[in-house]
Amino acid sequence: MNEALLRSLTPSVLAVLVRRGADFAAAEDAVQDALVEAIRVWPADPPRDAKGWLVTVAWRRFLDATRAEAARRRREDLVDQEPAPGPAPTVDDTLRLYFLCAHPSLTPSSAVALTLRAVGGLTTRQIAQAYLVPEATMAQRISRAKRTVSNVRFDRPGDVATVLRVLYLVFNEGYSGDVDLAAEAIRLTRQLAAVIDHPEVAGLLALMLLHHARRAARTAPDGSLVPLAEQDRGRWDTESIAEGIAILQAALARDRLGEFQAQAAIAALHADAPTAEETDWVQIVEWYDELAGLTDSPVVRLNRAVAVGEADGARAGLAALAPLDPSLPRHTAAAAYLHERDGDLVTAARLYAEAARKAPNLAERDHLTRQAARLNTRGCH
């Protein structure tokens, strides 16, 4: 990777975006995103025309951000137009749109992707990251979904499971991404829970509340990420935690376990621990076993491996990680953490640096880079 080349091309790429009509601040953000993508992609697949590649990617990022901002403003306008406090309708128009986009003529995955794009305001890139697929693949999936529903009547709303999946992904993007959608996802899930008596709806609402309760402590004043174990638990929202745990306990009592309830149970165990050292990792591993049985998700198995490392030691965690595909997002970061816990600082530093190059966003990249630098410094002493 020729970082000097990237630095030399940045002003000219920025100038192209401004000439095309992008305002300077938005153009700067788009170019930064393109540079991160270049650092990730070029070592394995260098372009023939470096500047042209950067311009194309940066312009696409700018258009995605512009569309997302327009969608956010539309949602804010709708909130401003809401009537004064009083008896509320059973379901507002936004939630109804979620159900309509989850049309029976679509496969569940296509319905989720279309709803995230059309109603949730997420960009194609953000949706692709959530589904662990290339952006081009997701763009084709969304286009096919649009064609499928272009000539159908929207009088047959989709099922609750698809809408829950959409709300879950919108919340995840709002919680950890660039577009703040978490509060909107919680609001809509509350509305859904008020009209549909289902333990998985309650489980999703509990999960959102428990994660959202920790949000203020997730970043330092300089914007850097703060790992869960290092967070100031005094900054957690205890009211949201109490509400989330109460909702979860009522859902679990119905003995109809689903993946959102299992995820919420894991979040509750983290939230309930007075300190990181007092976290009940053994029980967390048991919940990950339940969750893996429900979803067979490689991401769940990755998270389980880290939990095993906390409960039974780093080598047990590395053994649980070994069968998983190394190309899985955050696999390298998990391996780095477990090797550090095992005392192999040289391997851990190398893996942290490698994970930083694969990071999906700047904040995560900076955090992993600092982890690598910290271990390299310790190695020098």
Side-chain angles (χ1 to χ4, degrees):
M1 169 57 58
N2 190 336
E3 295 193 10
L5 173 62
L6 287 178
R7 286 195 297 270
S8 68
L9 290 174
T10 297
S12 59
V13 174
L14 185 59
V16 171
L17 265 64
V18 172
R19 284 200 301 273
R20 289 185 178 182
D23 67 83
F24 190 79
E28 278 191 318
D29 290 342
V31 172
Q32 287 299 316
D33 284 347
L35 293 177
V36 172
E37 186 71 3
I39 290 171
R40 186 181 71 83
V41 171
W42 286 12
D45 186 20
R48 288 193 295 270
D49 178 4
K51 179 181 176 181
W53 189 97
L54 286 170
V55 168
T56 299
V57 174
W59 184 249
R60 188 181 304 140
R61 297 292 188 266
F62 166 74
L63 292 177
D64 284 346
T66 300
R67 294 188 187 106
E69 176 65 15
R72 183 188 65 78
R73 289 177 179 174
R74 285 196 298 272
R75 287 192 299 274
E76 289 179 350
D77 290 341
L78 288 173
V79 171
D80 291 340
Q81 295 167 13
E82 286 185 355
T90 304
V91 182
D92 77 0
D93 287 342
T94 306
L95 191 56
R96 182 171 180 271
L97 284 174
Y98 272 67
F99 273 95
L100 291 176
C101 283
H103 197 271
S105 63
L106 297 173
T107 63
S109 61
S110 294
V112 169
L114 178 62
T115 312
L116 289 171
R117 188 73 186 88
V119 187
L122 272 64
T123 65
T124 303
R125 176 168 59 95
Q126 290 166 329
I127 302 168
Q129 289 173 346
Y131 270 90
L132 311 180
V133 299
E135 184 175 348
T137 300
M138 183 53 66
Q140 293 173 356
R141 184 180 300 178
I142 293 172
S143 294
R144 285 196 299 269
K146 288 178 179 178
R147 287 196 298 270
T148 299
V149 300
S150 60
N151 295 314
V152 301
R153 293 184 60 187
F154 280 86
D155 55 358
R156 296 169 57 207
D159 68 337
V160 174
T162 301
V163 174
L164 286 179
R165 178 64 51 190
V166 174
L167 289 168
Y168 172 70
L169 292 174
V170 169
F171 176 82
N172 278 352
E173 189 58 44
Y175 187 69
S176 61
D178 301 323
V179 183
D180 187 0
L181 295 168
E184 173 70 357
I186 291 173
R187 183 182 74 86
L188 292 174
T189 307
R190 282 191 187 280
Q191 290 189 353
L192 190 60
V195 297
I196 296 179
D197 182 22
H198 192 286
E200 272 294 82
V201 178
L204 179 58
L205 179 57
L207 175 64
M208 290 179 175
L209 290 169
L210 290 164
H211 277 298
H212 203 61
R214 303 199 303 258
R215 186 172 187 179
R218 291 184 70 247
T219 54
D222 63 359
S224 60
L225 293 178
V226 180
L228 176 61
E230 300 172 19
Q231 288 176 15
D232 177 1
R233 299 184 179 222
R235 300 183 65 196
W236 290 1
D237 183 347
T238 55
E239 289 186 6
S240 292
I241 290 173
E243 182 186 6
I245 290 176
I247 292 171
L248 172 64
Q249 288 174 337
L252 291 175
R254 301 176 66 175
D255 199 24
R256 292 167 57 192
L257 184 64
E259 63 172 296
F260 294 126
Q261 294 169 75
Q263 287 191 55
I266 294 168
L269 287 167
H270 284 297
D272 203 37
T275 65
E277 293 73 23
E278 295 174 85
T279 304
D280 189 346
W281 286 106
V282 172
Q283 194 173 167
I284 287 175
V285 171
E286 292 173 355
W287 276 111
Y288 270 123
D289 289 337
E290 293 278 3
L291 187 55
L294 290 166
T295 66
D296 195 29
S297 164
V299 175
V300 169
R301 297 190 184 281
L302 175 68
N303 292 332
R304 178 188 178 277
V306 175
V308 168
E310 299 286 357
D312 300 326
R315 294 194 179 180
L318 288 167
L321 189 66
L324 302 180
D325 185 351
S327 67
L328 191 66
R330 297 185 173 88
H331 182 286
T332 308
Y337 175 76
L338 290 169
H339 276 289
E340 180 183 358
R341 294 259 304 169
D342 194 38
D344 186 353
L345 303 189
V346 173
T347 300
R350 175 179 59 79
L351 290 172
Y352 275 130
E354 182 182 339
R357 292 192 291 271
K358 301 176 181 177
N361 56 65
L362 286 172
E364 193 167 329
R365 176 190 169 196
D366 289 346
H367 171 72
L368 292 167
T369 300
R370 283 194 295 272
Q371 296 295 88
R374 173 178 57 82
L375 294 187
N376 283 326
T377 301
R378 287 174 60 182
C380 293
H381 297 295

